[in-house]
Amino acid sequence: MPQAVKDIPAVDFDKIRKDFSVLNQTVNGQPLVYLDNAASSQMPKQVADRMDHYHRHEHANVHRGIHTLSQKATDAYEEARTKVQELIHADHEYEVIYTTGTTDSLNLVANSYGLENLSKGDEIILTEMEHHANIVPWQMIAKKTGAIIKVIPVTDSGELDLEAYKDLITSSTKIVSVVHVSNALGTMNPIKKIGEIAHENGAVLVVDGAQAVPHQAVDVQDIDADFYAFSAHKMCGPTGFGILYGKKKLLDAMPPYRGGGDMIDKVSFEETTFNVVPFRFEAGTPPISAAVGFSAALDYLNDIGMDQIETREHELVNYAVERVTKIDGLKLVGNSANRASVVSFVFDDIHASDLGMILDKRGIAVRTGHHCAQPVLRRFGVPATTRASLSFYNTKDDIDRLVDGIEYAKTFFE
Ligand code: PLP
């Protein structure tokens, strides 16, 4: 079911699209239609230029240098922390830990908080729609600690079965780790409600926000998330950079995950003491230019406005759902009333990878496969889907091209 569209914002998205030079090219002789934003979004000129400037004029290692260039690099690097704090409404900037991405963030929580706080018989609740990044780290920790993994099932429309969740959770549940927006189905989960139930039962709430933060305003304090993870490359920033938000009182009590430079206070062969958060979790030379680029990406997104981005993308995704559901034989996989930016579908007689290849020949980039979410595809009895994922710089014309491409592909299978 498409959602209601809010008022159209006064933002010139046609002008904004011109910032993304990568979109202005032909692929296989056709103008590119980029609909793989859930895998990685494109980078605007402003971000690429900022990273280029950093490399040409500001580069030095951070934190450890007394010289001016190092201090300049440190300032540029640390700037992103304050911007992330503001973006997600964290209480303190030291609740913002730099990681290499959502996967790294979730591994950090599992290996530090999980290993420290789980023991035999404790429960970790996940959902059937998790990305592998929010399954495998917990399985590895469960194996080490003897903890048990329980899974909230998904309904036929691709939503979480909250009644089943209430039945699953017990006083032994220590961690509830849930995706905010599913990359495979597009479902936007009622994360605040899920957190309330977790907290009533004494568990902490870990949120995989990889597909949420790029598309809507997120307030970690309002959600009352204990941990919240996301990646820069899905929100106009560079690859190799991400964030783990954690509540200070939890982070303060957590042991380091990786050892090395920058994360220590004093080192001797007898004993090492550790730095304060967030640095305790940031061992070694970090991806400095990526932090600088992410800082520019956040400026870029803030200039547009997260509310405007959300409104624009709702309009596009509603249009996409409306158009593709008219295609004969197409079945949506995931049809939640609360959908964000992703449309996933299958045909009985056309394999997703065949469809993806034919679309690519027409310059249309979609993702096909299991989207690193094999359990939920198994739940729907399909090995693969075709997924179109949108960003604010997409247009209705992109969606029309997708629909024409699918209709064309179908003629090969008649
Ligand atoms: N979680 C979700 C929901 C995702 O969509 C992704 C990436 O597609 C990830 C986690 C992993 O993100 P990354 O590869 O940036 O670590």
Side-chain angles (χ1 to χ4, degrees):
M1 273 274 290
Q3 277 174 233
V5 174
K6 292 184 202 165
D7 290 342
I8 308 289
V11 174
D12 186 349
F13 283 101
D14 290 338
K15 183 160 170 276
I16 282 168
R17 187 177 163 93
K18 296 197 174 75
D19 294 332
F20 296 82
S21 55
V22 72
L23 300 174
N24 186 24
Q25 64 176 298
T26 55
V27 169
N28 295 321
Q30 305 267 357
L32 170 66
V33 171
Y34 186 76
L35 296 173
D36 195 18
N37 296 285
S40 206
S41 66
Q42 297 297 345
M43 183 184 279
K45 178 182 181 305
Q46 291 82 341
V47 176
D49 285 352
R50 179 66 189 97
M51 291 178 77
D52 184 59
H53 180 84
Y54 169 80
H55 283 299
R56 288 174 192 276
H57 305 287
E58 296 174 1
H59 175 66
N61 211 332
V62 291
H63 294 156
R64 295 184 281 273
I66 192 72
H67 60 83
T68 303
L69 203 57
S70 173
Q71 287 174 8
K72 210 169 175 178
T74 303
D75 288 347
Y77 170 78
E78 283 299 327
E79 214 176 60
R81 217 181 291 276
T82 319
K83 288 180 189 165
V84 171
Q85 180 205 347
E86 285 164 8
L87 179 81
I88 62 172
H89 302 275
D91 204 13
H92 302 286
E93 66 179 26
Y94 41 76
E95 292 177 320
V96 174
I97 299 165
Y98 291 167
T99 67
T100 63
T102 308
T103 304
D104 192 32
S105 300
L106 293 168
N107 274 279
L108 196 168
V109 185
N111 281 277
S112 176
Y113 184 86
L115 214 47
E116 186 78 357
N117 290 284
L118 291 168
S119 41
K120 198 167 168 18
D122 285 343
E123 296 162 359
I124 304 162
I125 293 189
L126 308 176
T127 84
E128 208 174 10
M129 66 169 82
E130 294 312 312
H131 187 282
H132 300 163
N134 199 28
I135 299 174
V136 184
W138 296 115
Q139 279 173 333
M140 291 162 77
I141 294 305
K143 217 169 214 167
K144 282 187 186 161
T145 57
I148 297 158
I149 291 181
K150 290 173 148 185
V151 182
I152 307 172
V154 164
T155 66
D156 289 345
S157 62
E159 294 176 340
L160 290 178
D161 182 340
L162 291 187
E163 291 310 309
Y165 170 42
K166 288 178 196 157
D167 291 341
L168 277 180
I169 197 162
T170 72
S171 57
S172 296
T173 307
K174 295 288 182 307
I175 292 166
V176 175
S177 192
V178 175
V179 71
H180 196 163
V181 172
S182 159
N183 66 310
L185 310 175
T187 310
M188 207 188 293
N189 287 318
I191 207 71
K192 196 169 166 176
K193 178 84 204 146
I194 291 166
E196 275 165 22
I197 297 168
H199 291 142
E200 278 161 18
N201 286 274
V204 297
L205 175 71
V206 183
V207 185
D208 170 353
Q211 300 295 346
V213 186
H215 305 293
Q216 63 191 68
V218 167
D219 183 332
V220 290
Q221 293 194 70
D222 180 55
I223 293 169
D224 202 11
D226 295 291
F227 299 99
Y228 196 103
F230 57 102
S231 301
H233 70 97
K234 295 183 194 292
M235 44 196 305
C236 300
T239 53
F241 193 74
I243 299 296
L244 176 68
Y245 158 83
K247 283 183 185 163
K248 181 160 189 299
K249 68 172 192 305
L250 298 176
L251 294 175
D252 277 341
M254 280 161 54
Y257 166 42
R258 295 195 180 101
D262 236 22
M263 50 75 73
I264 53 88
D265 172 29
K266 286 194 186 73
V267 179
S268 73
F269 283 108
E270 289 70 41
E271 198 196 8
T272 294
T273 53
F274 302 115
N275 207 339
V276 292
V277 295
F279 309 111
R280 185 189 307 164
F281 300 106
E282 297 175 1
T285 298
I288 308 166
S289 64
V292 173
F294 190 43
S295 183
L298 294 178
D299 287 343
Y300 187 82
L301 295 174
N302 282 330
D303 282 350
I304 302 172
M306 291 312 298
D307 287 342
Q308 276 87 344
I309 287 172
E310 185 181 357
T311 306
R312 161 80 171 183
E313 292 182 0
H314 272 159
E315 188 191 4
L316 288 173
V317 84
N318 287 352
Y319 182 71
V321 170
E322 190 188 309
R323 290 240 41 209
V324 301
T325 47
K326 292 200 177 108
I327 298 173
D328 210 24
L330 182 145
K331 288 187 228 156
L332 289 179
V333 177
N335 199 9
S336 167
N338 284 317
R339 178 196 292 276
S341 299
V342 166
V343 185
S344 235
F345 51 86
V346 289
F347 289 89
D348 281 342
D349 305 327
I350 312 174
H351 195 278
S353 53
D354 291 336
L355 179 56
M357 272 188 281
I358 296 171
L359 291 173
D360 182 55
K361 290 278 173 270
R362 293 169 71 96
I364 302 162
V366 291
R367 186 142 296 241
T368 60
H370 54 62
H371 317 297
C372 297
Q374 286 181 1
V376 80
L377 265 66
R378 218 168 282 131
R379 152 71 179 85
F380 284 97
V382 293
T385 74
T386 303
R387 180 186 74 183
S389 56
L390 301 155
S391 180
F392 55 84
Y393 46 68
N394 286 119
T395 61
K396 287 189 176 172
D397 187 52
D398 289 340
I399 295 161
D400 293 341
R401 290 261 318 274
L402 170 72
V403 171
D404 290 348
I406 297 170
E407 293 289 10
Y408 169 77
K410 281 180 65 189
T411 61
F412 288 84
F413 297 90
E414 281 165 3

